[in-house]
Amino acid sequence: MPTKLRRWQSDAVTKALCWFSALTGTRQRFLINAAPGAGKTICSIALAQEMIERGWIDRVIVVAPLKQVVSQWGADFKSQTGRHMGKVEASATFLSSLGFDLCMTWNSIQGLEPELQAICSNHKVLVICDEHHHAAVDAVWGSAAGSAFSNAIFRLLLTGTP
């Protein structure tokens, strides 16, 4: 069951929808910067749900820093949207055949570039980058993340790190 959003979350969803709708047809990014524990996950899920209902997207991919965070995303996504979010390891090579939303660590992207590129090319995808600074170019998975999601229509970047 969806949670009632706090004012800042509701405002962020509204601003993101306005931003995304104003730039239709281009690859789009939106950043949410809020303190740790402020509710970025629930805000992001509410935004994704609204985008699904509007027909803007049909898939959601979440990239998070830790396996525990990935598990939490999957549980929160299911409880808020009713949609299954599969947790993916770097060894999975069948992603494009799966018909559900996905969640993985930043480190997992490295071996999945072709599969993730295929999903982003064949579907209307929102990629949610939780703690986006983990995709630093110097990191082992930095270039893989840029390449894997280059064809995603929408990217939502989250950070609580100043």
Side-chain angles (χ1 to χ4, degrees), residues 3-69:
T3 302
K4 181 169 172 34
L5 298 178
R6 298 176 190 149
R7 183 174 176 183
W8 82 263
Q9 293 168 316
S10 180
D11 289 347
V13 168
T14 299
K15 288 177 183 178
L17 291 170
C18 287
W19 177 261
F20 287 150
S21 68
L23 300 172
T24 302
T26 62
R27 308 267 181 240
Q28 302 172 37
R29 295 173 182 87
F30 190 84
L31 171 69
I32 295 177
N33 185 353
K40 293 181 292 292
T41 301
I42 297 302
C43 179
S44 302
I45 293 169
L47 174 60
Q49 181 65 33
E50 183 65 32
M51 294 173 79
I52 291 165
E53 290 172 4
R54 292 181 181 206
W56 293 3
I57 60 172
D58 53 23
R59 298 284 293 272
V60 177
I61 298 174
V62 174
V63 188
L66 303 168
K67 287 181 182 180
Q68 297 88 340
V69 177

Side-chain angles (χ1 to χ4, degrees), residues 11-132:
D11 289 347
V13 168
T14 299
K15 288 177 183 178
L17 291 170
C18 287
W19 177 261
F20 287 150
S21 68
L23 300 172
T24 302
T26 62
R27 308 267 181 240
Q28 302 172 37
R29 295 173 182 87
F30 190 84
L31 171 69
I32 295 177
N33 185 353
K40 293 181 292 292
T41 301
I42 297 302
C43 179
S44 302
I45 293 169
L47 174 60
Q49 181 65 33
E50 183 65 32
M51 294 173 79
I52 291 165
E53 290 172 4
R54 292 181 181 206
W56 293 3
I57 60 172
D58 53 23
R59 298 284 293 272
V60 177
I61 298 174
V62 174
V63 188
L66 303 168
K67 287 181 182 180
Q68 297 88 340
V69 177
V70 166
S71 293
Q72 188 63 49
W73 266 100
D76 288 348
F77 195 81
K78 176 76 173 178
S79 72
Q80 297 296 308
T81 67
R83 292 169 59 119
H84 174 70
M85 180 170 273
K87 295 176 270 310
V88 178
E89 300 287 331
S91 59
T93 57
F94 52 87
L95 297 181
S96 58
S97 66
L98 299 176
F100 48 78
D101 304 300
L102 304 170
C103 191
M104 64 200 68
T105 64
W106 285 101
N107 192 39
S108 297
I109 296 170
Q110 189 175 347
L112 301 174
E113 284 177 76
E115 292 286 328
L116 293 168
Q117 286 171 347
I119 292 169
C120 292
S121 294
N122 296 317
H123 297 275
K124 298 180 290 186
V125 177
L126 167 65
V127 176
I128 300 174
C129 302
D130 192 359
E131 298 299 336
H132 188 259

